[in-house]
Amino acid sequence: PENPEPMLRIGKSYLGTKYVANTLDQDGEESLVIRTDAVDCLTFVEYTLAQALGSSFADNLQKIRYRDGIINGYPSRLHYTSEWIENGIRHGFLTDITAKNSAHTQKISLSYMSTHPKQYKKLADSPENVRQMAEYEKAISGKVVHWLPKSELPEAGLPWIMNGDIIAITTKMPGLDIAHVGIAEYKEGKLHLLHASSTLGKVVVSDEPLNHMLNNNKSWTGIRVVRMSH
Ligand code: NAG
């Protein structure tokens, strides 16, 4: 069968969708934004996962995007992908595949948002939001997670990385955990990335295999792999 994995089948229905950053940062109170016509790397994965999980799209999206599914201001949104992953595992809709298959570990260290408030509309004007973000950063920092260094990812991928898996790219940018996310797709025996590309301005399957993308980016260090739990 072709594309039997729902994450891949649904993710591919977004091919060509335009890339737009910051669609979730609306004026006024934080609320559940659904903009499936304009995505960034993370919202693309969120919409795909919300649809793949079945039944209520909006309910799923809220559980995916907000800490424990509760919308309570800007800091209740899961801004850091490692906390986004942790929330998904805790609520039973994601499984940490790297944890089962890679012995490499790293300690999470988050501070980027609270130290760059001018880059975020909802932090630039709110010291209270900055204070709360700093608290959440502190709460997750120090947690140890498994990852796969890019030097250990062959062009052909690995047997334990499957079509439709969520790939989160780790970064050495100080205070940040994940720099980019997408969905795994094997093409002609090589592992590629289905992702919302800011440089190409839309959702694409990478021309290059994922390991080339990683090796061509100096600040990207490796990957974490998580899978939708069925
Ligand atoms: C992430 C942003 C987050 C935003 C999400 C979806 C960081 C650390 N996180 O990259 O604020 O909600 O994209 O647009 O910048």
Side-chain angles (χ1 to χ4, degrees):
E2 246 183 282
N3 296 348
E5 167 51 44
M7 280 295 289
L8 184 56
R9 180 172 43 78
I10 294 162
K12 291 197 81 162
S13 73
Y14 283 86
L15 281 171
T17 302
K18 68 173 183 264
Y19 181 98
V20 181
N22 308 319
T23 56
L24 306 186
D25 299 336
Q26 304 292 323
D27 290 334
E29 284 277 286
E30 179 78 13
S31 67
L32 189 69
V33 171
I34 302 181
R35 282 290 308 274
T36 53
D37 63 317
V39 297
D40 62 33
C41 63
L42 186 65
T43 62
F44 161 61
V45 171
E46 290 184 329
Y47 296 135
T48 301
L49 179 59
Q51 204 175 325
L53 285 167
S55 43
S56 174
F57 178 83
D59 288 352
N60 294 343
L61 187 62
Q62 187 166 327
K63 287 179 189 140
I64 292 164
R65 184 174 290 165
Y66 292 91
R67 189 177 299 105
D68 300 322
I70 299 163
I71 304 178
N72 180 21
Y74 179 80
S76 69
R77 199 194 308 159
L78 298 161
H79 297 277
Y80 288 102
T81 310
S82 39
E83 196 184 3
W84 185 98
I85 290 172
E86 194 263 338
N87 179 77
I89 293 168
R90 192 151 35 85
H91 290 284
F93 57 82
L94 290 179
T95 310
D96 189 345
I97 300 301
T98 349
K100 296 189 181 117
N101 296 282
S102 172
H104 297 274
T105 58
Q106 60 177 233
K107 207 183 259 181
I108 290 173
S109 169
L110 302 179
S111 60
Y112 191 85
M113 293 183 74
S114 67
T115 55
H116 298 80
K118 293 201 176 77
Q119 292 184 21
Y120 299 89
K121 193 172 154 188
K122 295 293 179 130
L123 295 180
D125 62 358
S126 171
E128 175 55 19
N129 281 351
V130 176
R131 192 194 60 73
Q132 284 187 41
M133 282 311 306
E135 264 179 30
Y136 287 123
E137 289 167 349
K138 214 157 106 191
I140 199 145
S141 293
K143 196 181 138 81
V144 173
V145 296
H146 289 255
W147 70 300
L148 183 76
K150 61 183 176 184
S151 60
E152 296 194 12
L153 180 70
E155 191 176 67
L158 288 162
W160 51 268
I161 302 176
M162 305 199 322
N163 272 334
D165 283 353
I166 297 168
I167 307 277
I169 299 176
T170 54
T171 177
K172 58 179 166 209
M173 176 91 76
L176 198 63
D177 50 350
I178 301 296
H180 193 48
V181 292
I183 296 171
E185 178 173 28
Y186 286 91
K187 276 195 342 191
E188 290 158 14
K190 293 176 183 172
L191 178 60
H192 290 252
L193 193 68
L194 168 61
H195 65 138
S197 164
S198 58
T199 45
L200 297 173
K202 60 184 177 183
V203 176
V204 296
V205 179
S206 65
D207 277 334
E208 296 212 303
L210 176 61
N211 83 321
H212 294 204
M213 292 175 64
L214 294 167
N215 290 330
N216 288 337
N217 189 313
K218 283 205 177 80
S219 64
W220 292 354
T221 54
I223 60 173
R224 294 183 62 191
V225 183
V226 295
R227 186 172 299 156
M228 185 179 99
S229 312
H230 292 270

